[in-house]
Amino acid sequence: MIVHFLIRVESLSITEAINRFSEARPPGIYKQDYINDLYDIFGEQKPKGFVCPQTPEWKRSPDRDDDSAAGLQDNDDVQAAKWQICREKVRWKVLWSGEVANAMVPIEMTNDDILGDNVPYNQIETMRQFCNQALKLNVRGRGKPQFPGSHPVSLSRDNLQLLRQRYYYATWKADGTRYMMLITWNGCYLIDRNFQFRSVELRFPCRSVNETGAVNTHNYTLLDGEMIIDTDPSTHKQERRYLIYDLIAINKVSLVERPFSERWMILENEVIKPRNSERDRLFRSRNPYYRYDLEPFRVRRKDFYLLSAVSKLLKEFIPRLSHASDGLIFQGWDDPYVPRTHEGLLKWKYPEMNSVDFLLEVGNNNRHILCLNERGRRKTMDGSRVVFRDPSVDVYSLSGKIIECSWDSEENVWVFMRMRPDKSTPNEFITFKKVMRSIKDNITEEVVLNEIHDIIRLPMYADRIRTDCKTFEKNGRRK
């Protein structure tokens, strides 16, 4: 525990922390399992010449034996039980080791996988308070905690005119899992749509990186992003990647009132570049104090593009992606970060992918009931029908669950797409109406491209695009 604390607080390598502990309290850690676990947890390679100290004399003394102190005797039964535990440990270690990985059936990654470790409730409450404060939310009462992240609204013919009134950039809409991420000095946490936290082992150094690894790490930096699964088309190998698309707070300082363009650049300079720089340097090191390659997933900043590049984004970039994409996001370049529903943050989905998240209830006579939320209450969608075209789907197992459905305009029915274990509540009724309006408006890819073709010729856009193009070229960025 003390060595773990030293590593976190002073950014020491495992070896340095173990040595400092042994100097203060000889002989230090004398249990090989503890030492091995420390190196495994923090992803550091144990030095070849490392020697575990011998068990101290006071530990070997009969009157201090752990089993004796607990009232146990090392009789034949106890000894046999110890050996059985050892054999089980060895058996499971061999079973799950990489040495037999080729003999095992690979487990396919999905967006519904639960990532990270549990976090104590009192710690979650403290972190929730920070998130709400950073977002300047005045949360009162003891109701169910609400996810504070910004949500886009569906593109319709009504809000399409916003693209003409304000300066927008575009990015692809990844079909992944939404997570905010909180980075603290003693851990990194994924925040799901239920405003629950899970701990993951990641490292985010600040800019002052030096060769010894004694560097400050971010403390209470809040990010927004999405987890995707990249699949290599030739080998079918899967890899998780967290795409960061916004920065809400950095080292306890809220940035929500800054324009998106500033937040995006701060994200690159203060979060991404220091991490990439240290990772590249450690990759070349013979004895790295941290192993980035052992982290549970990769991290990068998501790219945003000028509206003039939307055609290439749709026709060239998205088809080549190694993960699923279901449309576009239009981000106001000068917008502050708006928690929860952001009317100026626009999402466009391919028409066939427009969807609504319902709560499904299976009633008497196998009656399928679809429900939404309206002002904190359940709203039954009388007259709405849902069909399950995949015969392998067990409808009864979906009762009480959130399901995502697309609209079949020819048959006037909702079509089951997938279950949403990442959500505990259905869409709000007002969200449903906006999606239905988007479906009715039928804003196709052709409509989007024609509209943008006209928009980028407006003086407001033409002038800023020329300025931004020069900036991008100077910084070696893609347009």
Side-chain angles (χ1 to χ4, degrees):
M1 181 182 69
I2 294 172
V3 170
H4 189 283
F5 179 81
L6 289 172
I7 295 164
R8 289 289 192 188
V9 174
E10 300 193 17
S11 295
L12 299 179
S13 69
I14 308 295
T15 306
E16 287 173 329
I18 289 174
N19 289 339
R20 184 178 295 188
F21 176 73
S22 64
E23 290 171 2
R25 186 185 175 188
I29 300 178
Y30 54 84
K31 291 189 177 182
Q32 188 69 52
D33 286 348
Y34 290 2
I35 291 173
N36 292 343
D37 284 346
L38 281 167
Y39 279 100
D40 289 342
I41 289 170
F42 287 96
E44 183 179 327
Q45 190 171 3
K46 186 168 62 178
K48 292 182 180 180
F50 188 93
V51 178
C52 182
Q54 291 186 347
T55 303
E57 191 65 32
W58 58 264
K59 178 65 179 177
R60 292 198 294 267
S61 176
D63 61 346
R64 294 298 299 271
D65 182 83
D66 288 348
D67 291 342
S68 297
L72 298 174
Q73 300 297 324
D74 275 351
N75 55 30
D76 291 342
D77 292 338
V78 173
Q79 209 49 40
K82 286 183 176 180
W83 278 110
Q84 178 62 25
I85 292 171
C86 288
R87 282 194 293 271
E88 284 298 306
K89 286 183 177 179
V90 171
R91 185 173 72 86
W92 282 104
K93 189 171 183 180
V94 170
L95 180 62
W96 292 107
S97 71
E99 296 173 0
V100 296
N102 293 332
M104 298 173 63
V105 177
I107 299 174
E108 183 178 359
M109 294 180 183
T110 72
N111 288 326
D112 300 332
D113 294 339
I114 298 175
L115 307 178
D117 300 319
N118 289 319
V119 179
Y121 179 76
N122 61 340
Q123 189 177 352
I124 289 178
E125 281 303 299
T126 300
M127 293 190 294
R128 279 178 180 160
Q129 289 176 12
F130 169 76
C131 292
N132 288 326
Q133 289 169 3
L135 289 158
K136 303 189 182 302
L137 287 170
N138 186 15
V139 179
R140 297 179 180 178
R142 297 185 177 181
K144 185 176 180 181
Q146 285 186 279
F147 181 73
S150 187
H151 291 295
V153 298
S154 296
L155 189 66
S156 65
R157 294 192 185 273
D158 284 342
N159 59 26
L160 187 61
Q161 44 83 27
L162 288 177
L163 295 177
R164 294 176 176 268
Q165 298 171 1
R166 286 145 63 176
Y167 192 56
Y168 276 84
Y169 264 52
T171 188
W172 73 99
K173 186 179 181 300
D175 189 11
T177 305
R178 171 74 178 278
Y179 289 107
M180 295 171 78
M181 181 185 287
L182 179 62
I183 308 164
T184 70
W185 69 268
N186 66 339
C188 188
Y189 304 90
L190 291 177
I191 310 170
D192 65 20
R193 289 178 179 268
N194 297 320
F195 210 7
Q196 295 297 327
F197 292 67
R198 293 187 70 85
S199 173
V200 289
E201 188 62 42
L202 293 173
R203 179 176 170 84
F204 285 88
C206 293
R207 272 216 272 188
S208 56
V209 178
N210 58 45
E211 295 297 325
T212 65
V215 53
N216 290 329
T217 56
H218 280 265
N219 187 29
Y220 281 90
T221 289
L222 184 59
L223 312 171
D224 204 352
E226 56 202 346
M227 190 73 69
I228 55 92
I229 299 173
D230 281 325
T231 303
D232 188 296
S234 56
T235 65
H236 302 291
K237 180 183 177 182
Q238 293 180 302
E239 185 176 32
R240 294 190 196 278
R241 192 147 47 116
Y242 183 62
L243 301 177
I244 309 171
Y245 50 68
D246 214 328
L247 175 63
I248 299 166
I250 185 163
N251 294 319
K252 299 184 179 180
V253 178
S254 175
L255 302 177
V256 293
E257 295 175 351
R258 301 276 193 97
F260 174 75
S261 55
E262 285 188 26
R263 302 196 306 272
W264 196 54
M265 290 308 299
I266 295 171
L267 170 62
E268 175 72 7
N269 294 327
E270 302 294 335
V271 179
I272 299 300
K273 282 185 176 179
R275 177 179 160 87
N276 288 347
S277 176
E278 183 186 59
R279 182 195 61 198
D280 294 343
R281 178 168 55 79
L282 292 180
F283 181 75
R284 297 188 298 269
S285 172
R286 292 186 176 181
N287 187 26
Y289 54 81
Y290 184 78
R291 291 279 301 278
Y292 276 93
D293 58 310
L294 297 180
E295 290 183 337
F297 48 83
R298 296 174 60 193
V299 175
R300 62 161 288 188
R301 183 183 70 158
K302 195 176 185 183
D303 287 329
F304 285 78
Y305 302 86
L306 299 166
L307 286 193
S308 55
V310 166
S311 178
K312 286 186 177 181
L313 199 58
L314 286 171
K315 298 181 182 301
E316 300 177 20
F317 182 83
I318 290 178
R320 292 201 300 264
L321 281 173
S322 51
H323 58 269
S325 171
D326 54 4
L328 298 171
I329 294 289
F330 294 98
Q331 168 71 57
W333 200 235
D334 304 315
D335 283 0
Y337 188 94
V338 179
R340 298 178 181 156
T341 302
H342 181 8
E343 298 291 344
L345 182 60
L346 308 175
K347 65 177 178 180
W348 172 83
K349 284 189 173 184
Y350 297 104
E352 66 276 12
M353 292 185 179
N354 269 311
S355 62
V356 173
D357 297 326
F358 294 100
L359 169 66
L360 174 69
E361 297 285 1
V362 180
N364 296 331
N365 301 319
N366 196 28
R367 179 167 167 256
H368 302 153
I369 305 169
L370 296 177
C371 305
L372 294 170
N373 267 355
E374 186 176 31
R375 298 174 184 174
R377 296 183 179 182
R378 181 179 298 183
K379 179 179 178 62
T380 302
M381 301 300 291
D382 297 326
S384 294
R385 286 198 308 125
V386 59
V387 296
F388 299 84
R389 290 174 176 168
D390 183 349
S392 66
V393 173
D394 180 3
V395 179
Y396 284 98
S397 70
L398 297 175
S399 183
K401 306 291 178 58
I402 307 300
I403 62 172
E404 183 178 1
C405 301
S406 61
W407 178 249
D408 186 327
S409 56
E410 293 185 1
E411 298 185 21
N412 289 327
V413 295
W414 291 100
V415 180
F416 171 77
M417 298 171 65
R418 59 172 174 159
M419 188 180 78
R420 293 298 302 266
D422 59 318
K423 287 191 171 184
S424 59
T425 56
N427 282 148
E428 293 291 329
F429 182 62
I430 190 170
T431 301
F432 165 81
K433 290 196 295 185
K434 290 176 181 176
V435 173
M436 290 305 297
R437 178 60 187 269
S438 181
I439 292 172
K440 182 180 178 181
D441 287 347
N442 192 28
I443 300 180
T444 63
E445 181 176 325
E446 182 181 7
V447 171
V448 171
L449 292 177
N450 287 339
E451 184 72 13
I452 288 177
H453 180 270
D454 294 337
I455 288 173
I456 60 177
R457 282 163 173 74
L458 296 173
M460 178 187 73
Y461 268 98
D463 292 343
R464 291 191 66 167
I465 285 176
R466 278 194 294 270
T467 302
D468 285 359
C469 280
K470 292 178 181 178
T471 303
F472 273 81
E473 290 169 359
K474 181 180 179 180
N475 295 332
R477 303 289 296 170
R478 290 174 292 181
K479 296 189 287 291

